[in-house]
Amino acid sequence: MATIDLDLTINDEKYRRGDIDGDLKLVDFLRQEVGLTGTKFCCGIAVCRVCTVAVQRVPGGHQEAMRACTTPVSDLNGKIVTTVEGLAKDGELHPLQTAFLENFSFQCGYSAPGFLMASYCLLDRLKRSPIPTADVDDAIQDAVGQHVCRCTGYVRYHRAIRQVILSTPGLVTA
Amino acid sequence: MAQSRRDFLKTAAASGVAIVVSRISFLDSPQAQAATMDPPGGWMGSPGHARYRIDGLAKVTGQKIYARDFQARDLNGWPVPEEHVFVLCSTFADRIFTGIDLDFLPPDLRPKRVVTAADLQRDGVGIANTDFPEGRYLLPTGMRPDYLGQPVALLFYDDYYTLQRARPRLLYAPQAVETGEAAPLLVPIPFEPETSIIHVVKDGNAPFAEREKFAQTIGGPVRPTEPGKRNADAMKYVDMIGDKLESSGWEVHEQTYETQITDPMFMEPESGLAWLDRDDKTLHLLIGSQSPEYDARAASEIYAPKDCKIDVEKVSFTACYPGGGFGGRDTSIFGVYLALAAAYSNSTIRIAYDRYQQFMTGIKRHSSHIELTMGIDKAGRFQAVRNHTILNGGGRINVSAYVAQVAGIMGAGCYDFPLADIWSRAEHTRAMVSGSVRAFGSENSSFAIESMIDEIAEARKTDAIELRRKNLLQPGWSIVTGAPKAPPALHEICRKAHAHPMWRDRAKKHAAHAKDRIAYGVGFALSMKNYGTGADGVFQAVEVDEKGRLTVTTHGVDMGTGTATTLAITPARSLGANAHEVKTGEIAIFENLEMIESFDDLKENPRWTPIAFMSHKAATTSGRWVHGVDATSQVLFEVGLLPAARSLWGSRASKLAPKDVHWKDGKLQARGFKPLSLAEIAAKAHADGHVVSAMTHAFFSAEWATADYTVDGLTKRWPIDALAVRRGGAANYEIVDRKNAKLFTVESMWEGNGQTFGAAACIVGVEIDRHSGEAKVVEGVHFLAPGRILVRELVEGQMEGCFSQGVGYALLEELPPYEKGAIDGKWNLNRYHVPLSADCAIHSVEKVILPPESPDAPARGVAEVAFCPVAPAIANAVAHATGHRFRSIPITPEKIRAVWA
């Protein structure tokens, strides 16, 4: 078991831990060590994607969707992690959270954090590289099409994400 | 062993969750707050409406609400040190178990302690009543496992990460579970009671009431070896139906259909915490369950034997939001293992299955083998049906007998057959345990019957929907298997489906693809499905605080279907406002009603009810729990808030009756009086000692039990069977005894058969790749007749989820039953394919929700009804596309390639 000194940022807070198992999975670090249980555990083998978080290499960098159940913390040293707990700012929900609520997108809600974080990364990508409106459904499918939800049938997740993309200035070109 | 009729009734109607008066009472846990949502004001729409789910904010912000989110450090008073327990399972069922050997583990991965059956036996641990006589929570040495995956030991680790590292080695560990000599495999035997329904019309056109019937629903089992004339007569009719099928000159279709074992695959693997507080002799449990009362009671019963050395006097249960359920968390045995482990530790116990373990040990959907025969006359009228269904129940009875019962009740579909011979039973096998999963047996019958009707239509070269229409039950008719009142809208759904362009143009579109690589087909299926169990009991309380804020308390659980939201808006009808808070999964508070549950008729006892607590299941939110909260809100209004309003309005208002007032713009209005806000009225009610909280129990079997109740001189008849009230300034509830009750005898409850039904249908279009054999749903129409709609978005969400699960059931999901199944510890979502969005035609499925059939139409169950037609519609579409009838699901690419090869 190789130990490392860990230094990463989670939801704008610095976390420094010495002598920590570098193979420790991010989902366990978040849930067991930090107490952030919004990131869920389901399959543990990076298939269902409920554990998705957003990771930036550097401040202002691309938000990359990452599966916390298989990502060792050693891969995240120096990086910036955003979890579902970090989406709302200054008491204001993120537009995706609001859209998920207003569309009744989820039921049991266990998959919702993964859908939120993957679509959060999609919005980041579209801010940098807007796409034609006609391509929006395909982009959503690319971003969350592999996410498993057992309750909902997916319709309202996709609808909510589409609403946010179309109502946020600068994400689509026409 | 033959059951007595009494035993049969007692077990059958209770669906496995009968309650007994226990020496152990339940504590109102302060930790319940940890799992109770504090709803944000923002969810609430106008009275009777929700802008979003009451639990929504917690779910989109990642708050701790699921059992898996909690650790000991989150819970006040619990010991912070945790022990992490692994439930070690047998991987065989063909040899004798001789013990466990963990030497194969590296020393640093070995458990600190191990508990086996010998420990339980030494300490006198008993069997929970509902499990009796199965018990054997840990398999004793010297015995053959009852089933694959039967637990053999509890392994205790004092460190989360050590168990995490040991877990992969323990999942499938034949070397850990030592075996002795070979033992014969279990020969499948039926779980009792079996379900047998024989229905005969004497003269062909007799009204239903005059039909000769022999049904379990009116006279007990007829097919098993119960002696007596009824049995003999019934078997004569069985023979007669067989003779008629052979010799009447009808067109007879006889086929075998098979459905597979599936996993409910709720997203949160079962998890929980437990702590036995030895000072207080209290067992604390925290679980996300559909059946908190069952879990708590089972945990108490295992320590109930007089000679048990583990001293437990109370069970304190904290119900968390389940991360999905679909039936798989109803009477799951998971809680028993938490309770057992807690007795062997001074720490907080944590058991958290991973997905592999959940596949290995969680409750499964039964596979089925259905031998179905139908006889049709020349005019296309259904004359006889014979449906013999065998379900694989696996190694524990759980609720298998009742799943078989529902398979039988649905065994003739929504059609009229003058003759019916229906026999359904679940078998005890060595397979994984099957139990309650969405649709509860109906999906099996639905697949077989709706497939066969299409086969008949094809053979007769007639329109499949027209054939159905010709044979449908009429609204209000008793159904062939005995229950009263077929649902409305069956005909209307068929009419709409028949006129839909997808159906109308199916032949043209099919032909247009005839030479393409991609074949195309359209299928239709119609289903009727019971919601509720036929005997349902619900507890609830509605209270108003001094500021006019309403709180609903229920023992119901919200597993995602929207129960909490629906119950939150329910008080608006009587109280003019939505509830600010809904407390779900509450048990202890309802002891205030001092109810006694029994299947003995105790009519003279005003505390008696046939079913006290029921688990959250059977699509009962809209049909049962809403009634309870609605009725309780009415009681609170009439005995508490209206009197307070009259006091505020003065003596002129003394004769104002409920019909003279109404809520408008958040205020109670009466002609000639100043409108009053709920806050004003509530403050007065609290100050003057009026009733500020009503607590009730309601019982349903075909209709609601009713009784007269007198509060402050006002006597009124309410559709409830128990009432207690609390007044402003008082700490305790006062019980109000019922009078002139219209209750149910055991006979009437059973013979009346209290089932209620809803109707749904699907048209599905599929494309099939002629090279790969892959079938893909590309479009559809989903019909539902839910009656009164409470929250449209929740109804539509249930339809969408049902459609998705139907796709999985028809095309994707399957677990092999025995040694090659999930017991091998290698099953996860990389092998078990749950539908993804691309599988569900999410942009191309139209929803058709039929309007209520009348102004007073009930709100019907949705979450199972909408599931049933999806898979058979897909199977019918695949048959249309391929020209081949697949009578076994899932219809995999391999199966399709095999017939096209």
Side-chain angles (χ1 to χ4, degrees):
Chain A
M1 184 172 79
T3 61
I4 60 169
D5 292 331
L6 184 68
D7 180 348
L8 79 169
T9 302
I10 304 173
N11 300 336
D12 300 329
E13 269 190 56
K14 274 282 190 190
Y15 288 85
R16 292 192 178 89
R17 300 285 164 90
D19 204 26
I20 193 167
D21 176 8
D23 290 336
L24 179 65
K25 301 298 181 281
L26 177 61
V27 71
D28 281 336
F29 182 74
L30 292 169
R31 296 176 61 87
Q32 293 290 122
E33 303 301 317
V34 183
L36 291 174
T37 55
T39 302
K40 302 305 180 198
F41 174 88
C42 174
C43 72
I45 56 170
V47 171
C48 74
R49 307 190 186 213
V50 305
C51 61
T52 299
V53 299
V55 176
Q56 289 175 299
R57 288 169 182 270
V58 293
H62 290 263
Q63 296 283 5
E64 190 181 341
M66 199 165 279
R67 283 157 265 177
C69 72
T70 51
T71 303
V73 290
S74 57
D75 279 6
L76 296 164
N77 231 343
K79 293 181 183 170
I80 301 161
V81 177
T82 304
T83 71
V84 67
E85 291 95 335
L87 278 186
K89 300 285 185 196
D90 304 322
E92 290 283 321
L93 294 180
H94 189 280
L96 284 165
Q97 291 171 307
T98 303
F100 275 30
L101 287 172
E102 292 179 349
N103 282 279
F104 288 72
S105 292
F106 51 87
Q107 294 179 21
C108 85
Y110 203 77
S111 298
F115 275 92
L116 281 166
M117 299 318 299
S119 46
Y120 175 73
C121 294
L122 171 62
L123 295 193
D124 179 73
R125 180 165 71 79
L126 298 184
K127 267 181 212 161
R128 299 164 194 274
S129 307
I131 59 172
T133 303
D135 294 347
V136 166
D137 284 341
D138 287 346
I140 295 170
Q141 184 64 24
D142 284 347
V144 299
Q146 295 299 312
H147 284 239
V148 172
C149 170
R150 189 57 154 170
C151 293
T152 66
Y154 307 100
V155 175
R156 287 158 191 276
Y157 277 128
H158 284 243
R159 186 182 298 169
I161 298 165
R162 180 181 171 82
Q163 274 180 13
V164 173
I165 291 171
L166 296 183
S167 63
T168 304
L171 302 189
V172 291
T173 53
Chain B
M1 185 179 74
Q3 285 193 310
S4 69
R5 174 159 167 68
R6 174 71 59 194
D7 287 342
F8 164 72
L9 291 165
K10 186 174 178 180
T11 53
S15 286
V17 287
I19 214 170
V20 293
V21 179
S22 169
R23 69 183 173 89
I24 294 173
S25 62
F26 300 112
L27 281 184
D28 192 4
S29 165
Q31 278 73 44
Q33 289 302 316
T36 300
M37 223 78 69
D38 183 21
W43 73 268
M44 207 186 282
S46 58
H49 299 277
R51 286 181 56 230
Y52 51 85
R53 301 174 62 102
I54 193 172
D55 48 1
L57 189 65
K59 290 178 175 176
V60 293
T61 53
Q63 293 176 30
K64 285 180 196 286
I65 56 170
Y66 308 100
R68 200 174 192 93
D69 295 340
F70 289 93
Q71 297 184 41
R73 66 191 182 206
D74 300 316
L75 302 170
N76 291 336
W78 289 47
V80 172
E82 290 182 350
E83 281 199 295
H84 302 267
V85 171
F86 187 89
V87 182
L88 185 68
C89 295
S90 66
T91 54
F92 57 89
D94 59 352
R95 285 158 285 157
I96 299 297
F97 167 61
T98 58
I100 65 168
D101 180 357
L102 300 172
D103 285 351
F104 77 98
L105 287 170
D108 63 326
L109 296 186
R110 289 178 193 161
K112 299 295 179 192
R113 285 177 296 114
V114 174
V115 166
T116 67
D119 298 293
L120 307 190
Q121 190 174 11
R122 180 197 65 222
D123 294 332
V125 174
I127 300 171
N129 277 6
T130 44
D131 291 333
F132 191 83
E134 290 180 327
R136 283 205 286 277
Y137 299 117
L138 297 176
L139 179 68
T141 54
M143 296 185 69
R144 180 199 62 193
D146 296 319
Y147 58 98
L148 292 159
Q150 184 171 19
V152 298
L154 303 177
L155 313 185
F156 289 69
Y157 289 83
D158 56 12
D159 172 63
Y160 172 81
Y161 297 111
T162 306
L163 174 55
Q164 286 296 84
R165 287 191 292 128
R167 191 183 292 273
R169 300 167 195 248
L170 291 167
L171 273 173
Y172 181 72
Q175 64 273 56
V177 185
E178 295 185 316
T179 63
E181 61 192 63
L185 288 175
L186 174 71
V187 176
I189 50 172
F191 284 126
E192 291 193 9
E194 302 178 32
T195 292
S196 180
I197 302 169
I198 292 103
H199 161 100
V200 173
V201 174
K202 271 184 172 170
D203 301 316
N205 293 313
F208 190 86
E210 295 169 23
R211 292 175 178 186
E212 190 89 18
K213 300 182 296 245
F214 290 90
Q216 188 183 56
T217 49
I218 61 167
V222 293
R223 181 108 33 188
T225 55
E226 184 177 278
K229 181 175 182 301
R230 182 185 297 275
N231 193 31
D233 285 350
M235 295 312 293
K236 273 195 300 193
Y237 282 112
V238 168
D239 294 341
M240 183 267 276
I241 291 170
D243 290 344
K244 287 250 186 189
L245 280 166
E246 283 188 13
S247 59
S248 292
W250 300 329
E251 183 182 320
V252 174
H253 290 255
E254 186 166 10
Q255 296 293 351
T256 298
Y257 298 88
E258 292 189 318
T259 66
Q260 75 281 33
I261 293 174
T262 63
D263 192 285
M265 234 316 289
F266 43 77
M267 299 300 288
E268 178 201 19
E270 287 179 278
S271 308
L273 299 173
W275 167 46
L276 177 55
D277 180 350
R278 289 183 165 75
D279 295 336
D280 208 20
K281 299 178 181 174
T282 299
L283 176 62
H284 296 269
L285 293 170
L286 181 147
I287 311 176
S289 169
Q290 286 177 243
S291 49
E293 187 273 342
Y294 163 83
D295 291 325
R297 184 165 46 79
S300 72
E301 288 169 355
I302 60 177
Y303 299 123
K306 282 182 184 163
D307 55 353
C308 180
K309 293 176 185 160
I310 295 162
D311 206 356
V312 175
E313 291 187 353
K314 296 171 186 171
V315 173
S316 170
F317 190 93
T318 301
C320 293
Y321 260 73
F326 318 112
R329 296 184 198 264
D330 183 7
T331 65
S332 163
I333 204 167
F334 175 83
V336 168
Y337 291 99
L338 266 180
L340 286 171
Y344 294 91
S345 175
N346 291 318
S347 303
T348 294
I349 291 295
R350 189 171 175 199
I351 302 180
Y353 286 168
D354 68 6
R355 182 56 58 189
Y356 294 102
Q357 270 181 299
Q358 188 64 45
F359 270 112
M360 286 175 81
T361 62
I363 284 173
K364 302 290 179 278
R365 182 190 295 283
H366 297 76
S367 61
S368 70
H369 175 95
I370 302 169
E371 294 176 2
L372 183 64
T373 307
M374 285 191 195
I376 306 98
D377 68 15
K378 288 195 173 108
R381 302 289 305 206
F382 296 166
Q383 293 297 333
V385 59
R386 183 169 58 207
N387 179 339
H388 291 184
T389 293
I390 298 174
L391 305 176
N392 187 341
R396 300 179 73 88
I397 187 167
N398 194 267
V399 295
S400 278
Y402 318 116
V403 175
Q405 184 184 59
V406 172
I409 288 171
M410 305 312 302
C414 32
Y415 307 99
D416 186 29
F417 291 90
L419 301 172
D421 163 16
I422 292 170
W423 184 18
S424 56
R425 58 222 189 267
E427 287 189 340
H428 183 184
T429 73
R430 70 183 191 284
M432 297 166 288
V433 178
S434 286
S436 165
V437 181
R438 188 176 230 164
F440 208 87
S442 307
E443 73 283 11
N444 306 306
S445 297
S446 188
F447 168 64
I449 288 166
E450 292 299 304
S451 294
M452 179 166 276
I453 290 176
D454 260 39
E455 292 192 62
I456 294 168
E458 199 179 316
R460 298 173 70 91
K461 301 194 185 316
T462 189
D463 182 288
I465 296 180
E466 281 300 323
L467 179 63
R468 288 175 170 88
R469 287 171 85 175
K470 193 178 280 189
N471 290 284
L472 280 178
L473 294 166
Q474 297 296 327
W477 279 13
S478 295
I479 72 169
V480 166
T481 49
K485 287 188 186 172
L490 290 168
H491 289 264
E492 182 63 5
I493 287 174
C494 284
R495 191 187 65 75
K496 281 178 177 291
H498 192 259
H500 196 280
M502 259 190 80
W503 185 253
R504 200 181 54 215
D505 301 336
R506 68 193 187 286
K508 205 187 307 174
K509 203 164 171 184
H510 172 73
H513 285 72
K515 293 183 179 170
D516 295 350
R517 171 170 168 171
I518 303 296
Y520 176 85
V522 172
F524 172 81
L526 175 69
S527 290
M528 179 176 85
K529 165 80 184 106
N530 59 329
Y531 59 93
T533 68
D536 303 320
V538 288
F539 279 112
Q540 48 279 314
V542 180
E543 65 179 287
V544 63
D545 70 10
E546 293 92 335
K547 294 181 178 173
R549 289 177 303 207
L550 298 169
T551 298
V552 170
T553 305
T554 172
H555 69 108
V557 169
D558 192 336
M559 56 183 142
T561 53
T563 300
T565 308
T566 307
L567 296 185
I569 64 165
T570 297
R573 196 148 88 156
S574 297
L575 300 173
N578 299 326
H580 276 66
E581 185 175 9
V582 176
K583 296 179 177 175
T584 56
E586 295 280 340
I587 301 168
I589 189 172
F590 298 112
E591 288 187 343
N592 282 297
L593 285 168
E594 299 178 5
M595 299 209 68
I596 294 171
E597 182 189 79
S598 171
F599 276 91
D600 294 326
D601 291 337
L602 305 172
K603 291 192 191 59
E604 301 311 311
N605 186 333
R607 310 277 186 271
W608 170 67
T609 192
I611 300 277
F613 289 96
M614 68 173 182
S615 57
H616 206 101
K617 61 186 173 191
T620 43
T621 293
S622 48
R624 305 289 182 267
W625 308 85
V626 164
H627 165 89
V629 173
D630 193 22
T632 308
S633 300
Q634 287 179 42
V635 172
L636 174 60
F637 180 72
E638 294 200 27
V639 307
L641 298 187
L642 184 56
R646 285 197 208 103
S647 298
L648 287 168
W649 279 328
S651 57
R652 263 195 324 123
S654 62
K655 297 255 194 294
L656 284 180
K659 67 179 174 46
D660 302 320
V661 300
H662 65 279
W663 292 97
K664 187 182 174 193
D665 301 329
K667 297 200 169 180
L668 189 66
Q669 321 262 344
R671 185 188 292 265
F673 295 94
K674 175 192 158 202
L676 296 172
S677 70
L678 181 56
E680 291 173 274
I681 300 169
K684 182 69 173 170
H686 275 270
D688 290 1
H690 290 294
V691 170
V692 295
S693 179
M695 177 182 292
T696 69
H697 183 269
F699 177 77
F700 182 91
S701 183
E703 58 186 288
W704 291 98
T706 57
D708 293 336
Y709 298 87
T710 303
V711 180
D712 296 335
L714 170 71
T715 299
K716 187 112 191 210
R717 193 158 190 85
W718 302 104
I720 54 177
D721 67 350
L723 171 65
V725 297
R726 187 167 58 76
R727 295 170 186 282
N732 299 319
Y733 281 89
E734 310 158 20
I735 292 180
V736 181
D737 282 337
R738 67 189 181 210
K739 301 276 171 56
N740 307 318
K742 185 186 176 200
L743 302 172
F744 299 85
T745 65
V746 169
E747 294 299 318
S748 71
M749 188 173 72
W750 199 233
E751 295 196 352
N753 198 324
Q755 303 283 355
T756 47
F757 296 86
C762 256
I763 306 174
V764 172
V766 298
E767 289 182 350
I768 301 179
D769 187 317
R770 295 182 202 274
H771 293 188
S772 70
E774 185 184 3
K776 187 174 176 60
V777 172
V778 292
E779 56 184 331
V781 189
H782 203 175
F783 301 88
L784 183 71
R788 183 164 70 98
I789 291 177
L790 302 166
V791 182
R792 177 170 288 271
E793 293 86 349
L794 294 175
V795 171
E796 291 184 356
Q798 289 305 303
M799 292 175 75
E800 291 154 7
C802 284
F803 193 88
S804 165
Q805 290 197 10
V807 171
Y809 191 44
L811 299 176
L812 300 171
E813 299 178 41
E814 181 172 28
L815 282 174
Y818 299 112
E819 284 76 3
K820 291 187 189 306
I823 191 59
D824 72 3
K826 298 185 180 78
W827 282 83
N828 203 325
L829 293 178
N830 56 335
R831 291 177 74 185
Y832 187 89
H833 298 297
V834 171
L836 299 173
S837 55
D839 298 313
C840 302
I842 60 170
H843 301 300
S844 311
V845 178
E846 176 188 348
K847 286 184 280 293
V848 178
I849 298 178
L850 278 77
E853 70 279 9
S854 65
D856 60 349
R860 297 190 174 85
V862 171
E864 295 189 301
V865 180
F867 172 75
C868 289
V870 182
I874 294 171
N876 288 338
V878 172
H880 184 221
T882 61
H884 180 85
R885 172 63 52 178
F886 294 89
R887 300 189 183 92
S888 165
I889 53 173
I891 305 171
T892 59
E894 292 76 19
K895 289 180 186 173
I896 293 175
R897 283 200 304 269
V899 301
W900 263 348

